[in-house]
Amino acid sequence: CAPPDAVVWPQAMGQVQKLAALCHRCRVPMVPFSTGLEGSVNAKQGSIHFDLSRMDAITKLSLEDFSVAVEPG
């Protein structure tokens, strides 16, 4: 494990998509994470961490079937 080369804080799905495409094109490993129960983040040297904690909105709420869709943060 090593510290990441960079940490980004996307706030919308479009930003995540653009950053992921850039990492793929440049062959840079990406490590998504958020605050919560998943534990600590393990990185490879030369990676970019995607901190998803700012993506915390409710995107869909259905009272009819008691379901909710939320962002990962």
Side-chain angles (χ1 to χ4, degrees), residues 2-8 19-32 41-50:
D5 285 351
V7 178
V8 294
L19 290 164
L22 180 62
C23 286
H24 177 74
R25 188 169 54 250
C26 296
R27 302 183 62 78
V28 174
M30 57 184 197
V31 180
V41 177
N42 293 321
K44 295 174 71 173
Q45 188 170 5
S47 64
I48 305 292
H49 283 193
F50 283 47

Side-chain angles (χ1 to χ4, degrees), residues 8-73:
V8 294
W9 287 267
Q11 297 179 17
M13 189 181 313
Q15 292 174 336
V16 173
Q17 291 169 332
K18 288 178 183 178
L19 290 164
L22 180 62
C23 286
H24 177 74
R25 188 169 54 250
C26 296
R27 302 183 62 78
V28 174
M30 57 184 197
V31 180
F33 72 99
S34 182
T35 57
L37 302 174
E38 73 277 354
S40 61
V41 177
N42 293 321
K44 295 174 71 173
Q45 188 170 5
S47 64
I48 305 292
H49 283 193
F50 283 47
D51 183 341
L52 304 175
S53 63
R54 295 183 182 173
M55 294 181 66
D56 60 357
I58 295 172
T59 59
K60 183 179 176 185
L61 176 64
S62 175
L63 299 176
E64 294 79 30
D65 61 2
F66 300 103
S67 66
V68 63
V70 296
E71 293 177 340

